[in-house]
Amino acid sequence: MTTEVLPDRLALRGGRRERALAQMEAHDLDVLVLGRQANVRYVTGAPQLWVAGTRPFGPTCVLVRETGAIHLLSTWDEGIPEDIPHDNLYGISWNPTNTIAALARIEGAGTARRVGTDAMSPLFAQLLPMAFPNADLVDGELAMRAARAIKTAEEVAALRSSVAVAESALAAAVGALQDGVSEQTLTGVLMEAMTAGGVSTPANQDVAWVTSREHPWRRAVGDGRVHTGDLVAFSAGVLAGGYVAEVGRTYPVGTVPGAAGLYQRWDTLWERLAGACRPGATCSELLSAYADAGEPLPPVPVAHGLGLGFDPPVVSPQLRNTAAAERLEPGMVLSVTGYVFEPGVGAVFGREAVLITDGGHEVLTTSPFATGC
């Protein structure tokens, strides 16, 4: 297995870049200044592992609409696509005025009228006008959200590959499910299988848990081990090539009285959720699917976009007005969550990756679902 840091394939990064430039035109942006890593990779195709994690906003990438030129914060060439020349790289500096000076030298910076940024800090709110003296600074995240919401064919292929790794790892963990095994052991089995599949970065670390029989959306309070009669939820998430895949399943351990009816309720809920996964549907229909199935809404998002991280749309009970205003479009890929609970029995949790198509939807996840006992 190669350990060389490689950029994303030309077709993958090229298609994304075209979408970003199209949204710049739609939002009348002359320049985009990006600091969020998912946005930076979307435009550049360059993985930047040394800036992973939470950090303040910094101008990491600059995209100029007129020329299509990309300028990138990087101290070396490794992993940088060949279509970003060395002269377009600017180095890291502890002095932000040096960074601003580098931005000011970019062709088109002095004449730009509207510059969008995907985030901002008080410091750079003062400094960026020095690099773009004739521009209004506006919200550029809206353009990036619109670009990232619809996946290119190459992105869908990348997501299929990521889903395959997640499902293979999930199958390994389910194969280790038995009375007495610990939740930590199941997590270890899944991550070992994920790494064997060529992916060393999980999208989540709370992988397996015994569902509570007393409280919805809680894990059972106990010794951290699985016992006969438990319903065990699995959440497999991987970050492969920058793309997040998620799949969730729940399996019984031995005979679980009442589980069959609970799985039937999940099937009914999923039928409603799947019916809402169609082009033109408002995102609020995914929320209504729970009420239509007679189930309470979960405290987590019912659905969110999959891609280079947590993509739009985000469909949450806490964002009802947003959900009512947004519509599903062909090319969106969603992580859709179904959850049902019965006191004294436990919970059934399932999460599917769904591609919205011209005629409806395609479920990308294929892992089998238990039927209860």
Side-chain angles (χ1 to χ4, degrees):
M1 182 181 299
T2 181
T3 59
E4 184 180 0
V5 179
L6 298 175
D8 296 333
R9 301 184 307 276
L10 176 60
L12 180 59
R13 66 179 190 268
R16 296 187 313 221
R17 197 172 302 165
E18 289 177 6
R19 285 196 54 80
L21 288 168
Q23 288 301 322
M24 287 180 70
E25 182 173 358
H27 288 78
D28 191 24
L29 300 177
D30 298 311
V31 174
L32 257 179
V33 181
L34 304 175
R36 296 180 176 175
Q37 275 306 296
N39 287 339
V40 172
R41 183 159 185 175
Y42 187 90
V43 168
T44 66
Q48 294 183 300
L49 301 181
W50 47 271
V51 290
T54 302
R55 61 191 180 90
F57 169 77
T60 305
C61 168
V62 177
L63 176 61
V64 182
R65 188 180 83 186
E66 183 177 3
T67 62
I70 295 173
H71 299 259
L72 182 63
L73 178 70
S74 183
T75 57
W76 57 76
D77 292 313
E78 185 180 11
I80 305 300
E82 66 276 2
D83 48 9
I84 302 178
H86 181 82
D87 289 345
N88 285 17
L89 304 180
Y90 53 97
I92 300 173
S93 174
W94 290 108
N95 186 342
T97 59
N98 292 337
T99 301
I100 292 300
L103 301 187
R105 293 192 292 270
I106 293 175
E107 181 183 354
T111 57
R113 297 175 300 103
R114 281 170 56 87
V115 173
T117 68
D118 63 352
M120 187 57 76
S121 67
L123 175 63
F124 279 102
Q126 299 177 53
L127 294 180
L128 281 178
M130 299 170 60
F132 308 100
N134 296 304
D136 293 327
L137 297 180
V138 299
D139 186 359
E141 178 64 11
L142 298 176
M144 289 305 303
R145 287 180 186 175
R148 290 174 54 184
I150 308 299
K151 304 300 182 289
T152 67
E154 290 77 14
E155 285 188 284
V156 173
L159 281 164
R160 289 184 191 275
S161 297
S162 188
V163 166
V165 175
E167 294 199 296
S168 177
L170 174 66
V174 171
L177 181 63
Q178 61 181 340
D179 181 76
V181 70
S182 70
E183 295 170 338
Q184 291 87 349
T185 296
L186 293 173
T187 298
V189 170
L190 186 141
M191 292 193 176
E192 182 181 40
M194 176 192 71
T195 305
V199 179
S200 59
T201 309
N204 58 283
Q205 295 187 19
D206 197 7
V207 168
W209 65 94
V210 177
T211 65
S212 171
R213 302 182 193 183
E214 290 78 35
H215 301 284
W217 280 101
R218 292 190 188 178
R219 65 194 312 151
V221 177
D223 59 4
R225 293 187 176 274
V226 170
H227 301 288
T228 298
D230 288 336
L231 287 173
V232 181
F234 291 85
S235 179
V238 305
L239 181 64
Y243 283 87
V244 172
E246 297 178 345
V247 56
R249 294 290 186 268
T250 302
Y251 283 87
V253 183
T255 300
V256 182
L262 199 54
Y263 278 98
Q264 289 173 2
R265 283 170 52 192
W266 193 93
D267 289 340
T268 298
L269 172 59
W270 177 250
E271 184 179 350
R272 303 296 193 279
L273 288 168
C277 293
R278 66 186 191 280
T282 62
C283 291
S284 59
E285 292 184 46
L286 286 162
L287 299 177
S288 299
Y290 272 80
D292 293 343
E295 304 291 346
L297 280 164
V300 301
V302 170
H304 65 84
L306 288 176
L308 289 172
F310 204 78
D311 274 357
V314 177
V315 186
S316 169
Q318 290 76 31
L319 299 171
R320 290 180 178 272
N321 291 340
T322 300
E326 293 183 324
R327 293 186 179 274
L328 301 181
E329 300 179 51
M332 288 182 172
V333 179
L334 306 177
S335 175
V336 183
T337 296
Y339 193 93
V340 296
F341 170 77
E342 182 64 33
V345 180
V348 172
F349 158 77
R351 184 167 284 157
E352 306 280 17
V354 179
L355 168 66
I356 306 300
T357 63
D358 291 330
H361 71 268
E362 176 189 352
V363 179
L364 303 183
T365 38
T366 60
S367 295
F369 220 117
T371 57
C373 298

